Amino acid sequence: MVVLYGLIFLVVLVAFYGVGVYNRLVKLSTLVAEAWSGIDVQLKKRYNLIPNLVETVKGYASHEKETFENVTKARNQAQNATTVEGQQGAENQLNRALINLYAVAEQYPELKANENFLSLQNELSDIESDIEKSRRYYNGTTRDYNILIDSFPSNLIAGITNFKKAAYFEIDVEAERENPQVKF
């Protein structure tokens, strides 16, 4: 009889543990989705600002048609990305296109002094900072979620309940990885 009670107690204990792990997986999965939503909001702000920036630069550098088309194309691809991996690739293209747009703007001193351009540039810089913060939060939440999925014995429950690892969101801009050139 004692063995039966011990066995029942053990089964109940394992069931409670399983429910606890499942609930933690649901919580972290929801936090990952919420964190992605935060990135999405910041990216939409950025996408809405880019046409204004392009139009301002166009007024000064109308012959740079290819640069403007590349920015617009990259923006559209980024807006239409549906997965984290797709978004990551599209954001890399958009960042390269924006770097080219800023290179064009550097050639026009009167544009660099334009109040509207400076305002748009500052706003874009603020949004980029917010995207970075959102990306850090998303990646931190994704890390916690993925650790739970990979850890034993919670990985057994994750596998049974079909929880999958989430992808990290990393934007790879080669210019950011290069050593800065300092010249005096």
Side-chain angles (χ1 to χ4, degrees):
M1 195 64 155
V2 172
V3 172
L4 181 62
Y5 286 139
L7 201 55
I8 290 172
F9 177 74
L10 187 61
V11 168
V12 168
L13 189 64
V14 168
F16 275 120
Y17 175 76
V19 168
V21 168
Y22 177 81
N23 287 339
R24 187 150 182 247
L25 284 164
V26 168
K27 176 185 176 186
L28 287 174
S29 175
T30 303
L31 286 174
V32 167
E34 181 261 338
W36 180 253
S37 174
I39 289 175
D40 195 41
V41 166
Q42 298 304 323
L43 292 175
K44 283 183 176 138
K45 281 182 176 178
R46 182 184 188 211
Y47 301 150
N48 291 337
L49 181 68
I50 289 172
N52 295 332
L53 190 62
V54 169
E55 287 302 315
T56 302
V57 176
K58 257 187 194 179
Y60 287 86
S62 57
H63 62 282
E64 299 285 350
K65 185 177 178 186
E66 184 180 345
T67 301
F68 304 134
E69 288 174 355
N70 288 342
V71 171
T72 302
K73 180 181 171 188
R75 175 186 172 266
N76 291 339
Q77 286 177 340
Q79 276 186 303
N80 295 326
T82 57
T83 63
V84 173
E85 293 85 2
Q87 190 75 53
Q88 188 171 321
E91 286 300 316
N92 288 335
Q93 285 183 316
L94 181 57
N95 284 340
R96 283 190 288 277
L98 286 173
I99 288 169
N100 290 339
L101 181 68
Y102 280 125
V104 167
E106 285 293 318
Q107 299 171 9
Y108 299 90
E110 59 279 355
L111 171 62
K112 291 191 318 186
N114 179 291
E115 218 174 285
N116 189 30
F117 178 74
L118 292 174
S119 173
L120 291 169
Q121 196 174 20
N122 287 335
E123 194 173 336
L124 186 61
S125 177
D126 291 345
I127 291 172
E128 294 293 338
S129 177
D130 291 343
I131 290 171
E132 178 190 355
K133 291 172 192 167
S134 296
R135 195 172 74 216
R136 281 188 198 167
Y137 176 69
Y138 171 81
N139 285 340
T141 305
T142 298
R143 177 200 59 227
D144 294 344
Y145 174 71
N146 288 345
I147 287 171
L148 187 61
I149 286 177
D150 285 341
S151 301
F152 181 80
S154 59
N155 64 345
L156 300 174
I157 295 167
I160 291 169
T161 55
N162 207 25
F163 281 91
K164 303 288 184 213
K165 289 177 76 171
Y168 290 101
F169 186 60
E170 300 171 320
I171 298 177
D172 183 27
V173 178
E174 291 184 29
E176 292 175 359
R177 296 187 188 277
E178 293 177 8
N179 289 332
Q181 299 276 333
V182 179
K183 295 181 183 177
F184 295 101

